[in-house]
Amino acid sequence: MSKPTPISGFPEWTPAQRMIEQHVLERIRDTFERYGFAPLETRAVEPLDQLLRKGETSKEVYLLRRLQADPDGPAGDDALGLHFDLTVPFARYVLENAGKLQFPFRRYQIQKVWRGERPQEGRYREFLQADIDIVDRDTLAPHHEAEMPLVIGDALRSLPIPPVRIQVNNRKICEGFYRGVGISDPEAALRAVDKLDKIGPARVADLLTATAGATEAQAKAVLALAEISAPDASFADAVNALGVSHPLLDEGLAELVQVMQTAAEHAPGLCVADLRIARGLDYYTGTVYETQLIGYERLGSICSGGRYDNLASAGAVAFPGVGISIGVTRLLGLLFGAGALTISRPVPTCVVVAVTSEAQRAVSNRVAEALRARGICTEVAPSAAKFGKQIRYAERRGIPYVWFPGTDEGADEVKDIRTGAQVSARAEVWQPPAADLRPVVS
RNA sequence: GUGGCUGUAGCUCAGUUGGCAGAGCACCGGGUUGUGGUCCCGGUUGUCGUGGGUUCAAUUCCCAUCAGUCACCCCA
């Protein structure tokens, strides 16, 4: 039996990293609930036709198959696949349960998702997303699109991570503009523009003429739009100055102005209107978001989403929505890789109770019980080794306190092994400083 | 999924033009007979990613595979 090896794209963290992850998830969850989003979990699998409803992600969907399944059997639309995001399952859930839900429906969902892509730093095949969405029946007020970045801004600012910049665009602006200048294939144009940062304007212009059927003048106009970026609503003037008009363009401009104005009031500096942002899944129809970790821009967006009008519809009833999702695994992977996220100790334990002798272990157990009853994470030393060894057991794990049960008449004593200070104490009342109670993430 | 680069101890890395595998840090034991960290002495780190092939002999050369990473694709 050879040594097991990792599976590409399926990260497994250390306990210290998992504690950091749990801390991060707790803060994110707290923020989501503070904005009134209700928790939801959906199953890991969806029927394939649900997953593929929206286009060309088929190759990255993992299929679920029984070992004993008939290999020649139909693997059609009713086959099951692991979900590759949380928005599509959510849309399905809304349709399925519309009768029980109150609209507008606000929910958050923090779950694993799976994508069969080639892994590299910050890109995994199994990863955790923390997603919020708001859906309404028939129509969804545009102000919800302005709320998304505020929630995310609060959530991410509650974490010990570098500041973020949320880049916002609106697909109606791009599409309306492209139509306004007469581009035949707006989607190809979007894809080309999206590469602006990577390959530069000259090659994007080439791409535009090659794949989107643009003339030189059209490519120039498209690039001029893509290069517009502003920390406030002034982007609209810049767009208007280009002299293109189209109803869809005006609609998009009005919506993005509202997002930017709201952001400017509640979270100055958080959002940037960036008209080159095109990304996200292809079901987005309005506002789109992408998020850069400042200092880690090269490694991609750690949080993105947008408005979708057609994802959930059943017959005549439509449920337009808007959502955004934090790529928790990517965020953590990047920061772990950079050594930028640490925790003060790799175990929750605050106190190790020393064991004087195996015959006296019950005494130590009683001390531990008294401490735990008051919320102090406590373990009893694994063996009645020499006290030096027991102290070292704590030291190796970063556990700050070792408790020595008193012998005979002598009182119990607790030692802060960082300072060496040792004082007599009673398990019923002793309290560590608040900063030592739990591991601190920074 | 396509292509490039990389893979030696827990970590950071040496090394062999093919000849029984090394250093520092970390870890373990002792000095220190029940209070760690400093210091001194000693010890173990290992299927040289894995599996084949060539060879008297492979960690070294060849092939495949796995993993990591980069680019493409796409995206959190």
Side-chain angles (χ1 to χ4, degrees):
Chain A
M1 190 65 171
S2 59
K3 191 176 170 182
T5 55
I7 298 175
S8 188
F10 292 77
E12 294 183 313
W13 305 135
T14 62
Q17 290 171 325
R18 174 60 175 159
M19 285 199 289
I20 294 172
E21 183 176 57
Q22 284 181 323
H23 175 261
V24 163
L25 292 174
E26 195 184 316
R27 303 302 279 267
I28 290 173
R29 185 166 60 97
D30 179 72
T31 305
F32 288 172
E33 294 194 347
R34 206 172 291 197
Y35 277 82
F37 291 86
L40 182 70
E41 177 164 297
T42 61
R43 64 202 183 201
V45 295
E46 295 291 336
L48 203 51
D49 62 339
Q50 285 284 334
L51 293 175
L52 300 186
R53 219 146 37 105
K54 291 297 161 188
E56 317 218 5
T57 42
S58 57
K59 12 174 217 193
E60 55 183 45
V61 171
Y62 278 107
L63 279 183
L64 190 71
R65 195 175 45 131
R66 282 202 316 142
L67 198 54
Q68 302 297 338
D70 178 1
D72 302 322
D77 289 350
D78 56 342
L80 299 180
L82 294 172
H83 57 225
F84 60 86
D85 72 3
L86 299 177
T87 308
V88 168
F90 172 59
R92 188 270 309 160
Y93 180 91
V94 167
L95 286 178
E96 196 173 317
N97 297 282
K100 305 178 204 164
L101 304 175
Q102 277 84 48
F103 294 94
F105 178 49
R106 306 158 69 85
R107 79 92 180 79
Y108 72 90
Q109 201 168 334
I110 301 175
Q111 286 180 245
K112 291 272 179 68
V113 306
W114 295 268
R115 290 181 195 172
E117 295 180 287
R118 177 76 123 237
Q120 47 187 271
E121 189 177 21
R123 321 185 52 180
Y124 304 95
R125 289 176 160 168
E126 177 181 74
F127 58 97
L128 201 54
Q129 285 195 325
D131 189 294
I132 49 172
D133 281 88
I134 303 173
V135 292
D136 206 344
R137 186 190 292 268
D138 299 325
T139 60
L140 176 75
H143 61 77
H144 290 116
E145 291 162 67
E147 186 176 7
M148 293 288 127
L150 302 182
V151 185
I152 295 303
D154 272 3
L156 295 179
R157 277 183 302 199
S158 76
L159 302 173
I161 62 173
V164 299
R165 182 187 307 113
I166 301 179
Q167 300 163 291
V168 193
N169 192 7
N170 190 305
R171 287 207 171 164
K172 292 176 186 171
I173 295 178
C174 296
E175 195 181 334
F177 187 91
Y178 299 164
R179 292 192 190 287
V181 298
I183 300 247
S184 55
D185 187 347
E187 291 198 2
L190 265 185
R191 254 192 289 282
V193 165
D194 189 47
K195 300 189 196 307
L196 185 55
D197 279 331
K198 246 178 201 169
I199 65 178
R203 292 183 56 202
V204 170
D206 293 345
L207 260 184
L208 283 168
T209 52
T211 66
T215 65
E216 211 168 299
Q218 288 170 331
K220 208 175 158 190
V222 168
L223 277 172
L225 180 76
E227 279 165 358
I228 293 172
S229 169
D232 51 41
S234 70
F235 72 91
D237 302 329
V239 175
N240 289 326
L242 296 177
V244 175
S245 82
H246 190 277
L248 202 54
L249 173 59
D250 296 337
E251 211 176 294
L253 283 175
E255 289 172 7
L256 189 52
V257 163
Q258 189 180 357
V259 171
M260 291 306 296
Q261 284 174 342
T262 304
E265 178 181 346
H266 293 280
L270 177 66
C271 289
V272 174
D274 223 323
L275 302 196
R276 75 185 61 186
I277 299 303
R279 293 187 163 190
L281 287 311
D282 49 9
Y283 45 65
Y284 296 130
T285 52
T287 306
V288 291
Y289 316 95
E290 198 163 298
T291 308
Q292 304 291 326
L293 237 203
I294 291 171
Y296 298 80
E297 291 85 351
R298 289 233 146 236
L299 296 160
S301 172
I302 53 141
C303 174
S304 67
R307 169 159 182 148
Y308 43 91
D309 284 320
N310 308 314
L311 198 51
S313 55
V317 197
F319 296 92
V322 60
I324 188 165
S325 196
I326 302 175
V328 178
T329 307
R330 168 175 288 182
L331 177 63
L332 294 175
L334 298 181
L335 294 173
F336 288 158
L341 258 185
T342 57
I343 187 160
S344 54
R345 62 184 108 115
V347 291
T349 314
C350 178
V351 179
V352 168
V353 182
V355 174
T356 308
S357 69
E358 283 305 328
Q360 298 295 307
R361 177 169 290 275
V363 175
S364 300
N365 287 341
R366 275 174 224 126
V367 172
E369 184 184 22
L371 293 172
R372 290 175 191 138
R374 291 186 299 106
I376 300 168
C377 301
T378 305
E379 58 184 298
V380 178
S383 76
K386 289 197 283 191
F387 283 164
K389 293 269 184 60
Q390 300 195 45
I391 291 171
R392 193 157 67 181
Y393 174 92
E395 193 218 347
R396 292 285 124 90
R397 290 162 179 76
I399 299 166
Y401 296 97
V402 175
W403 189 284
F404 298 101
T407 48
D408 302 326
E409 317 302 304
D412 287 10
E413 296 193 340
V414 64
K415 178 188 186 86
D416 180 337
I417 65 174
R418 296 159 301 186
T419 63
Q422 186 165 333
V423 296
S424 54
R426 294 201 304 124
E428 295 73 26
V429 296
W430 178 81
Q431 194 69 30
D436 289 337
L437 202 50
R438 295 275 172 175
V440 176
V441 176
S442 55

